Amino acid sequence: MNARVPFLDLVSQQAEIASEVLPRWQQLFESSSFIGGPPVDDFEREFAAYCGAGHAVGVANGTDAIELALRAIGVEPGAEVIIPVNTFIATAEAVSRIGARPVFVDVDPEHLLIDPEAVEAALTPRTRAIVPVHLYGQVAPVDRLLPIAAAADVPIVEDNAQAQGASSAAGRTGSLATIAATSFYPGKNLGAAGDAGAVTTDVAELADAVRTLGAHGSAAKYVHDRVGMNSRLDSVQAVVLSAKLRRLDEWNARRRAAADHYGDLLSAVDGVDAPSAVAGTTPVWHLYVVQVDERDGVLAGLAERGVSAAIHYPTPLHLTDAYAGSHGGRGAFPVAEAAADRILSLPMFPHLERGQQQYVVEQLAATVARGASKLRV
Ligand SMILES: Cc1ncc(COP(=O)(O)O)c(C=O)c1O
């Protein structure tokens, strides 16, 4: 059955930019200029300015962006990199691909973002980076991590894949620490028409290092200073990203309005914990994650009623097969483990309509009440 309310509607986004993008794609096809060139230079400049960072370097995807940022700051095989256990696996993969070790830490129970006290406890002489993740479009507590990182002389790499446009008093995500990585996977707040990503930083030497590493370790043609990789932003993607960047503030504002509306509707529903914005920040609600008991039943009930919901993420990283073993088993990260059983992401996208939200919340209330009455029997 087609969902009456989809989880995400990308078709409406493409429709808004089609008349701008398609002629430019045709020009690119006719010129066969696919790698680099003015569209990529323009987007890098625009995205750096948008984030409030001195430099942006386009790369092939968000996972590469994290790996390249870590390599640029000098993370090497054997190093430890602290990351939250509640994140998409790519954050950890980027560390592992270098041959470094992801060191997981628990998250705070209210917003499920990296817990600074847990970070402090996880520091060792081998720690070479801390990677807070701006999960769900909320600003991670970089302000509280900065003094901890400075005292340990360890740089912070923001994982900004889910939060383009979010801000705190210190500025926009992507400019809050030494260097940041982001993903333009199509479903992100700023999404390409395929895979793409970027690194942002104020430090010119780090931007140069990312650019060189992503071009086979080569700053000048066929001169290879170090072993790099191929990770570049395609011009066809840069054209899409520039068009969408011009609409990002409006689309993020629409997400915030939708989040506020969900909050109002859910205040009348028992048994559903709605999320709140981190104090002093402006989130961009990449995902709208509520918490309910008997979550799997609620998810199935919503699907039966035509509401497409999801879970981000069902398994904390230390319990995935990929990372089982060396990070402690069940019980090692109690906050993330408890949350993983209750979290439920409701449909959230800029073009979500109020009628759709009304329907989602009605069906959610009915499904939660049905589960609660079964529990009482
Ligand atoms: C938090 C987080 N980090 C990293 C990534 C990796 O990005 P990509 O899929 O572009 O490699 C994603 C998204 O997929 C993400 O959500």
Side-chain angles (χ1 to χ4, degrees):
M1 173 174 99
N2 265 343
R4 179 160 160 186
V5 185
F7 184 66
L8 175 62
D9 168 18
L10 289 180
V11 174
S12 300
Q13 278 191 20
Q14 317 317 336
E16 270 197 49
I17 59 162
S19 63
E20 207 174 310
V21 167
L22 295 179
R24 298 203 61 199
W25 271 4
Q26 183 156 5
Q27 285 166 5
L28 286 174
F29 265 74
E30 284 163 5
S31 66
S32 288
S33 162
F34 297 124
I35 307 275
V40 174
D41 298 343
D42 290 348
F43 174 69
E44 288 180 342
R45 211 176 34 251
E46 292 157 9
F47 188 64
Y50 181 83
C51 293
H55 310 270
V57 182
V59 301
N61 57 67
T63 315
D64 284 3
I66 304 170
E67 178 179 345
L68 287 162
L70 290 170
R71 288 185 65 182
I73 60 168
V75 172
E76 292 186 339
E80 292 179 2
V81 176
I82 299 176
I83 70 168
V85 75
N86 178 37
T87 179
F88 182 55
I89 195 166
T91 318
E93 277 172 339
V95 177
S96 300
R97 281 194 334 199
I98 298 174
R101 186 173 117 82
V103 173
F104 301 132
V105 296
D106 214 341
V107 292
D108 80 90
E110 198 182 344
H111 300 109
L112 309 181
L113 299 167
I114 194 166
D115 176 353
E117 281 171 23
V119 170
E120 204 160 12
L123 286 165
T124 76
R126 292 174 299 283
T127 309
R128 289 288 174 276
I130 301 167
V131 185
V133 179
H134 302 302
L135 200 70
Y136 308 152
Q138 296 258 35
V139 182
V142 178
D143 53 342
R144 291 174 57 204
L145 289 171
L146 282 169
I148 296 170
D153 198 18
V154 169
I156 292 178
V157 178
E158 297 169 75
D159 181 338
N160 191 27
Q162 301 194 1
Q164 299 105 350
S167 61
S168 69
R172 281 206 170 121
T173 57
S175 69
L176 301 178
T178 303
I179 192 165
T182 198
S183 162
F184 303 124
Y185 178 78
K188 300 301 191 219
N189 289 40
L190 180 60
D195 279 312
V199 173
T200 48
T201 179
D202 271 341
V203 185
E205 295 75 28
L206 295 181
D208 288 346
V210 169
R211 206 178 283 289
T212 303
L213 282 166
H216 304 289
S218 151
K221 201 164 188 177
Y222 302 134
V223 180
H224 304 282
D225 304 327
R226 52 200 292 196
V227 177
M229 59 202 266
N230 172 11
S231 190
R232 297 178 289 228
L233 178 66
D234 293 333
S235 52
V236 291
Q237 300 302 350
V239 162
V240 174
L241 290 166
S242 284
K244 288 194 177 177
L245 185 60
R246 284 191 273 284
R247 289 156 177 86
L248 184 60
D249 282 343
E250 187 208 321
W251 287 351
N252 281 341
R254 287 212 225 169
R255 287 175 185 268
R256 276 192 292 276
D260 287 347
H261 192 52
Y262 267 141
D264 290 345
L265 294 171
L266 288 170
S267 64
V269 177
D270 285 337
V272 181
D273 298 331
S276 63
V278 174
T281 72
T282 305
V284 291
W285 301 110
H286 174 60
L287 296 168
Y288 188 83
V289 179
V290 301
Q291 296 199 33
V292 292
D293 290 336
E294 304 294 319
R295 189 268 326 280
D296 290 345
V298 174
L299 181 67
L302 286 176
E304 277 166 29
R305 294 155 182 263
V307 173
S308 184
I311 306 170
H312 299 88
Y313 294 91
T315 312
L317 292 181
H318 68 298
L319 299 179
T320 61
D321 286 347
Y323 283 107
S326 53
H327 305 267
R330 192 165 281 283
F333 303 103
V335 178
E337 289 171 31
D341 292 338
R342 300 190 78 235
I343 48 182
L344 179 69
S345 308
L346 301 184
M348 171 53 83
F349 46 90
H351 300 81
L352 185 64
E353 288 165 12
R354 290 209 156 199
Q356 291 177 308
Q357 290 191 271
Q358 178 80 33
Y359 183 78
V360 170
V361 173
E362 280 166 11
Q363 302 315 310
L364 179 62
T367 314
V368 168
R370 193 181 63 181
S373 68
K374 266 198 205 141
L375 278 180
R376 276 197 294 275
V377 175

